[in-house]
Amino acid sequence: MNIRTKTIPIILTLFFYLASPMKLQANADPLPSWKDGPSKQAIVTFVTAVTEKNGTDYVPPAERIAVFDNDGTLWSEKPVYFQLLFAIDRIKTLSPQHPEWKTQQPFKAVLKNDIDALAASGKKGLFELIMASHAGMTTDAFEQIVMEWLATAKHSRFNRPYTDLVFQPMLELLDYLRANGFKTFIVSGGGIEFMRPFTEKVYGVPPEQVIGSSIKTKYELRDGKPVLVRLPEIFFFDDKTEKPVGIQKFIGRRPVAAFGNSDGDLQMLQWTTSGKGKRFGLIVHHTDAEREWAYNRESHVGKLDKALVEAGEKGWTVVDMKKDWKVIYAFQK
Amino acid sequence: MNIRTKTIPIILTLFFYLASPMKLQANADPLPSWKDGPSKQAIVTFVTAVTEKNGTDYVPPAERIAVFDNDGTLWSEKPVYFQLLFAIDRIKTLSPQHPEWKTQQPFKAVLKNDIDALAASGKKGLFELIMASHAGMTTDAFEQIVMEWLATAKHSRFNRPYTDLVFQPMLELLDYLRANGFKTFIVSGGGIEFMRPFTEKVYGVPPEQVIGSSIKTKYELRDGKPVLVRLPEIFFFDDKTEKPVGIQKFIGRRPVAAFGNSDGDLQMLQWTTSGKGKRFGLIVHHTDAEREWAYNRESHVGKLDKALVEAGEKGWTVVDMKKDWKVIYAFQK
C-alpha cells in the first residue's frame, strides 16, 4: 500500500462527515417520544416519500411548507386558552389605575374571580377584556409585558411556567420536519404578538413564520421616534375559514402538511390536503386525562367534532395522545 | 516526511473548501454593476460591520432582515406602475363579456385609450378598474392570469417583457445580502398576489417573503373542493405609514436595512433606521433619462420629495442611478 491509497479512505471519511453530517445520525430515532404505531409510521412514511429525490411524490424544499396550530396542538389549552389567563392577570395588574372596573362587567367578574359572571358576559365581554389588556401600548411595550408574564406566571395545575406545557413529541416533530428541509409555520387563532416573543426559543419558529389573530396598529412619531401603537380594533381573526385565508396572505403558497387539534383547524386541513401531489393532515386528539386532559366534542375550548369525522373520511392521521405519546411534557420524562 | 505530515495539508485544504466555500470567492466583486464610489462603499461598510463576528456592530443572522420596496426600487415604474398596465390589458381582454363598459367610466376611457378621461376618473375610477380586473376569480386562477400576462405583455418603450426591466445592480445587492446571511423581503404598495408569481424566479425572494397590498379573500367549497375567492374589497393597503405596520404584522421584527425610492417608503426607512444598533437606509434616485427615467418631486408615480430631504438629515445613502450604476438593466450590458 502506498501513501496515496492510504490517504483516500481518510479523505473520503472526512468528506462524508463534513458534507452531510445528518447522514451519520440516520439510524437515530428522530421521534423518540412517539411510540411505534400507525401515527408515527404515517409521519415517517410521508416525510420519506416527499424527500426521496427520484420518487414520484418528491416535493422540492422550497415547497415543503408545514403549518401548525398552536393552542392544543403545540401546547395545552386547558382550563382555557393561556392567552385569556394572560388577559385576566393583566386586568388585575392594571386595576388600581381603573377604579371603575370594580363595578363594571366583565372587569368586575375578573377581579372577583367570578367565572359564571365572566361567562355570562359572552363574546362582547371577552372582546372588552382582550382590548383592555392588549391595546393602548406600543408593540415594543406589549412584547415586554408578554415576556414578563411568561417568565413569572405559572399554570395552576402543574405550578410551572406556561411554556413548560409544550408537547415534547410535537417539538421532535418540528425538528424532524426542519431537518428534512421543511419550513415550519404556526397558524393560530391566538394573538400573533402574544406568540412571537416565545415561538423562536420554544419551538424554533422565528417571528416571520408565525401567523395569528391581530389587532390594528398605528404608526406614530413620538418625540421624533417612530412607534407602532396597538389599537382596540380587530385586524384579522385567524380561525376556521380564515386560516386558509391567512395562509394565502402570509405564506402565499399552499402547505403540504397541516397539524391541528380542533374544528378551528378543519378548513386549514381541507385546504392543505386538497392540493395536488402527496399531502399530510394530522389531528392531535386529547385523550389523556391523567398526564394532560381528555376532551373533544363537548369542550368549550378546542372542540373537536366535525374535523374528527372528516379525518376518518379523508385519511388524516389522528394522534391518540394517551396511546401514541411516551411523554407529553418534557418535565414528565 | 512521513505519511502523516504529507496528509495534513491535503486534509486542511479539503476542510476549508468544504466548510466555507464562500471564503474562496472573497476577492471577487459581489457588486460588479456598481461603480466604485460612496454608495457602493456605504453598502459594503454596513454589511462588513454587521457580519464581523467580534465587532461592536455585529447582528446575529436571525436578525439580519432587509426590506425592499418593489416599484422604482427593484424594477421600473414608468410610464405608470406596471400593475396598472396589467389592469388596463385585463379590462380590454374582458371587455367582450362586458358590453356595458363601452359607455361606462372608467372602462370607456380604458377601451378608448383616453388617458385624460382615465385620470379624470380619479381614485374612485382607479379602484373600480383594479377591482374589475383583480377580483371575482380564485387565487389559483389569478396567479395563472398574472403569469400569462408577464409571459406575453411587453413594455412600450423597450419592447421587452416587464420582468426584463429589473435593475441589475439591485439583483446583485439582493444576492450580496443573502450571501451574508440576510433574509430579503419585499415590502411594496403593489399587489401581493401580483408580485408573488415572479419574485422567486426574478429576485430570488420566495412568496412568503413578499408583503404588499391585498384585497379580501373568502374560503369556499366548490363541488367539495376548497378555493379562495378574491373579493372586491381592500384588505390592506401597504403604503406610507402602513409599511411599518405591514412589516410588524408579517415579519414581526424590525429590519436592519431598508431600500426604497419614494415618499411612500419614508416611514419604512424611518422605522428601520431608528432601531437600536447599526442600521442602513438607502434611496434609489432616478436620475438617468437616457437609460431609464429621470424624476423626483414632480412625478405622479414614485414622487420623491420629503424622503430625499430626510435622507440628507439622517445619513441615508442616496443612489444616483446615472453616476452609481454601470448598467441599469441586464439587457443593456
Side-chain angles (χ1 to χ4, degrees):
Chain A
M1 193 189 252
N2 61 22
I3 295 169
R4 200 166 288 266
T5 43
K6 251 199 156 158
T7 316
I8 287 168
I10 301 171
I11 292 176
L12 279 178
T13 305
L14 197 64
F15 180 86
F16 282 110
Y17 179 72
L18 290 169
S20 51
M22 293 312 302
K23 291 244 166 86
L24 291 185
Q25 297 161 20
N27 293 326
D29 183 353
L31 301 169
S33 299
W34 291 73
K35 283 188 199 157
D36 291 327
S39 293
K40 182 174 181 170
Q41 194 52 53
I43 294 167
V44 174
T45 301
F46 168 74
V47 171
T48 307
V50 296
T51 54
E52 181 66 47
K53 196 109 197 198
N54 298 315
T56 48
D57 296 321
Y58 180 72
V59 174
E63 290 166 30
R64 291 183 204 155
I65 303 285
V67 286
F68 288 80
D69 170 58
N70 184 40
D71 296 308
T73 299
L74 296 178
W75 73 355
S76 294
E77 58 185 349
K78 288 280 183 175
V80 291
Y81 300 125
F82 297 169
Q83 191 174 354
L84 183 53
L85 299 174
F86 162 76
I88 288 172
D89 284 352
R90 187 77 196 142
I91 294 299
K92 289 177 181 173
T93 303
L94 293 174
S95 62
Q97 297 145 251
H98 293 273
E100 75 279 13
W101 286 354
K102 278 184 195 151
T103 54
Q104 189 184 321
Q105 293 296 14
F107 306 103
K108 186 181 165 188
V110 168
L111 299 178
K112 294 200 160 184
N113 295 314
D114 184 346
I115 299 298
D116 289 341
L118 183 57
S121 75
K123 276 192 183 177
K124 191 175 161 286
L126 193 67
F127 180 82
E128 283 181 54
L129 209 61
I130 294 289
M131 290 312 166
S133 52
H134 285 64
M137 70 295 278
T138 67
T139 51
D140 286 346
F142 185 70
E143 188 183 340
Q144 283 305 315
I145 292 166
V146 171
M147 275 163 58
E148 273 168 41
W149 183 79
L150 288 170
T152 53
K154 287 188 175 170
H155 190 281
S156 57
R157 175 170 165 191
F158 294 99
N159 195 33
R160 283 182 169 269
Y162 289 95
T163 48
D164 279 8
L165 271 67
V166 299
F167 305 136
Q168 177 61 23
M170 296 305 282
L171 296 182
E172 292 166 8
L173 179 53
L174 284 164
D175 278 341
Y176 175 56
L177 289 171
R178 287 190 291 254
N180 281 283
F182 281 80
K183 214 167 179 174
T184 51
F185 285 82
I186 289 170
V187 179
S188 169
I192 198 165
E193 306 248 22
F194 176 75
M195 295 183 284
R196 280 171 169 165
F198 72 89
T199 56
E200 187 153 37
K201 201 178 151 199
V202 174
Y203 301 134
V205 176
E208 62 268 27
Q209 285 162 228
V210 178
I211 303 167
S213 297
S214 59
I215 57 179
K216 290 188 180 171
T217 59
K218 188 171 172 277
Y219 183 81
E220 268 182 31
L221 292 178
R222 289 186 177 175
D223 301 325
K225 253 196 97 153
V227 292
L228 289 168
V229 183
R230 293 168 59 81
L231 305 178
E233 246 183 287
I234 292 286
F235 174 70
F236 183 61
F237 186 47
D238 189 35
D239 199 29
K240 298 193 169 72
T241 56
E242 293 307 280
K243 285 203 172 192
V245 168
I247 287 169
Q248 182 65 18
K249 285 269 176 284
F250 281 73
I251 307 178
R253 48 182 149 204
R254 211 189 280 217
V256 293
F259 304 83
N261 77 298
S262 77
D263 284 359
D265 304 312
L266 176 59
Q267 289 81 6
M268 173 171 90
L269 283 154
Q270 288 172 342
W271 177 244
T272 300
T273 59
S274 62
K276 279 178 202 150
K278 202 162 181 77
R279 305 279 163 151
F280 190 74
L282 181 148
I283 288 174
V284 174
H285 189 186
H286 292 259
T287 52
D288 195 329
E290 265 180 55
R291 294 184 299 173
E292 206 247 3
W293 283 269
Y295 57 95
N296 48 43
R297 290 189 168 79
E298 307 300 324
S299 181
H300 64 288
V301 287
K303 181 180 171 178
L304 175 62
D305 183 6
K306 285 182 191 164
L308 197 57
V309 173
E310 202 157 321
E313 292 164 9
K314 301 221 165 131
W316 301 336
T317 296
V318 178
V319 169
D320 182 327
M321 284 174 79
K322 193 171 181 175
K323 287 188 194 156
D324 287 338
W325 289 357
K326 291 183 197 166
V327 288
I328 308 259
Y329 307 126
F331 65 80
Q332 291 172 333
K333 274 201 269 196
Chain B
M1 193 187 253
N2 62 21
I3 297 169
R4 201 168 286 268
T5 43
K6 252 201 154 156
T7 317
I8 286 168
I10 302 171
I11 292 177
L12 279 179
T13 306
L14 198 65
F15 179 85
F16 283 110
Y17 179 72
L18 290 169
S20 51
M22 294 312 303
K23 292 245 167 85
L24 291 185
Q25 298 163 18
N27 293 327
D29 183 353
L31 300 169
S33 299
W34 291 72
K35 283 187 199 157
D36 291 327
S39 292
K40 182 174 181 170
Q41 193 52 54
I43 294 167
V44 174
T45 301
F46 168 74
V47 171
T48 307
V50 297
T51 54
E52 180 66 47
K53 195 110 199 199
N54 297 316
T56 48
D57 296 322
Y58 180 72
V59 174
E63 291 166 28
R64 290 182 205 155
I65 303 285
V67 287
F68 289 80
D69 169 59
N70 184 39
D71 296 308
T73 300
L74 296 179
W75 73 356
S76 294
E77 57 185 350
K78 289 278 183 178
V80 292
Y81 301 124
F82 296 169
Q83 191 173 355
L84 183 54
L85 300 173
F86 162 77
I88 287 172
D89 283 354
R90 186 77 197 141
I91 295 298
K92 289 177 181 171
T93 305
L94 292 174
S95 62
Q97 297 144 252
H98 293 273
E100 74 278 13
W101 286 353
K102 278 183 197 152
T103 54
Q104 188 185 321
Q105 294 295 15
F107 306 101
K108 185 181 166 189
V110 168
L111 299 178
K112 294 200 161 186
N113 294 314
D114 183 347
I115 298 299
D116 290 340
L118 183 57
S121 76
K123 276 193 183 176
K124 191 175 161 284
L126 194 67
F127 180 83
E128 281 180 57
L129 208 63
I130 294 289
M131 290 312 167
S133 53
H134 286 65
M137 69 295 278
T138 68
T139 51
D140 285 347
F142 185 71
E143 188 183 340
Q144 283 305 314
I145 292 166
V146 171
M147 277 163 58
E148 273 168 41
W149 183 79
L150 288 171
T152 52
K154 287 188 174 170
H155 190 281
S156 56
R157 175 170 166 193
F158 296 98
N159 195 32
R160 283 182 169 270
Y162 289 94
T163 48
D164 278 8
L165 272 68
V166 298
F167 306 137
Q168 176 62 23
M170 296 305 282
L171 296 182
E172 292 167 9
L173 180 53
L174 284 163
D175 278 341
Y176 175 55
L177 289 171
R178 287 189 292 253
N180 280 281
F182 280 80
K183 215 166 178 174
T184 52
F185 285 82
I186 289 171
V187 179
S188 169
I192 197 165
E193 306 249 21
F194 176 75
M195 295 183 284
R196 280 173 167 163
F198 71 88
T199 56
E200 187 152 36
K201 200 177 154 203
V202 175
Y203 301 135
V205 176
E208 62 269 26
Q209 285 162 225
V210 178
I211 303 167
S213 298
S214 59
I215 57 178
K216 289 189 181 171
T217 59
K218 187 170 173 276
Y219 182 82
E220 269 181 30
L221 292 178
R222 288 186 177 173
D223 301 326
K225 253 195 98 154
V227 292
L228 289 169
V229 183
R230 293 169 58 80
L231 305 178
E233 246 183 288
I234 293 285
F235 175 69
F236 183 61
F237 185 48
D238 189 35
D239 198 29
K240 298 194 169 73
T241 57
E242 294 305 282
K243 285 203 174 193
V245 168
I247 287 169
Q248 181 65 18
K249 286 269 174 284
F250 280 72
I251 307 178
R253 49 182 150 204
R254 211 190 281 218
V256 293
F259 304 83
N261 77 298
S262 77
D263 283 359
D265 304 313
L266 176 59
Q267 289 81 6
M268 174 170 90
L269 282 154
Q270 289 173 342
W271 176 244
T272 300
T273 59
S274 62
K276 280 178 201 150
K278 204 162 181 77
R279 306 278 163 151
F280 190 75
L282 182 148
I283 288 173
V284 174
H285 190 185
H286 293 259
T287 53
D288 195 330
E290 265 179 55
R291 295 185 298 173
E292 207 244 3
W293 284 268
Y295 58 95
N296 48 43
R297 288 189 170 79
E298 307 301 324
S299 181
H300 65 287
V301 286
K303 180 181 171 178
L304 175 63
D305 183 5
K306 285 182 192 166
L308 196 57
V309 174
E310 201 157 322
E313 292 163 9
K314 301 221 166 131
W316 300 335
T317 296
V318 179
V319 169
D320 182 326
M321 284 175 79
K322 192 170 180 175
K323 287 188 194 157
D324 287 338
W325 289 357
K326 291 182 196 165
V327 289
I328 308 256
Y329 308 126
F331 64 81
Q332 291 172 333
K333 275 202 271 197

